[in-house]
Amino acid sequence: QVQLVESGGGLVQAGGSLRLSCAASGRTFSSYTMSWFRQAPGKEREFVAAISWNGGTTSYADSVKGRFTISRDNAKNTLYLQLNSLKPEDTAVYYCAARTWGGISRDRNSYNNWGQGTQVTVSS
């Protein structure tokens, strides 16, 4: 089991930027596939971005491609999500998730460890 704690959310104007962080406990973070998901009010939790254990492979939802960047620092047991050119429709609670087996997946049911989430609100 791995504990995940997100931070970095907040209120930002459209066009602005934020950097989310996800701190992980445990000594095996470097072996996990990691992802970001988000959930807006009244909507299902959706895939945002994923990164392989060594950072060599990434995947993005079409809605964020070119604006968001996922990265990781295995020495610091930390996952990041850089959010640029934010839009009001990016408003949601953002969750990091760890997949302790297997490669990149966009299916939230593939992930067995979740953080508590951090709120991102983009005003127009």
Side-chain angles (χ1 to χ4, degrees), residues 10-49:
L11 173 63
V12 63
Q13 289 188 333
S17 297
L18 283 173
R19 189 192 197 200
L20 307 183
S21 298
C22 173
S25 65
R27 295 176 292 177
T28 54
F29 171 79
S30 61
S31 65
Y32 300 154
T33 295
M34 299 295 297
S35 289
W36 289 96
F37 287 76
R38 67 185 181 186
Q39 188 167 17
K43 295 188 177 182
E44 291 191 351
R45 192 169 299 187
E46 65 174 3
F47 171 79
V48 175

Side-chain angles (χ1 to χ4, degrees), residues 2-110:
V2 58
Q3 303 296 320
L4 303 172
V5 179
E6 302 96 333
S7 61
L11 173 63
V12 63
Q13 289 188 333
S17 297
L18 283 173
R19 189 192 197 200
L20 307 183
S21 298
C22 173
S25 65
R27 295 176 292 177
T28 54
F29 171 79
S30 61
S31 65
Y32 300 154
T33 295
M34 299 295 297
S35 289
W36 289 96
F37 287 76
R38 67 185 181 186
Q39 188 167 17
K43 295 188 177 182
E44 291 191 351
R45 192 169 299 187
E46 65 174 3
F47 171 79
V48 175
I51 189 166
S52 61
W53 66 276
N54 64 352
T57 303
T58 57
S59 178
Y60 295 93
D62 288 344
S63 59
V64 307
K65 197 174 296 183
R67 299 189 298 122
F68 292 6
T69 302
I70 189 171
S71 61
R72 66 190 298 162
D73 186 337
N74 286 342
K76 296 183 178 179
N77 277 15
T78 305
L79 175 73
Y80 302 101
L81 186 68
Q82 179 68 41
L83 293 69
N84 296 331
S85 302
L86 282 161
K87 306 174 181 180
E89 52 263 43
D90 294 318
T91 295
V93 177
Y94 284 70
Y95 298 90
C96 68
R99 191 178 192 210
T100 56
W101 72 94
I104 284 180
S105 172
R106 297 185 174 209
D107 180 0
R108 62 180 184 268
N109 295 314
S110 298

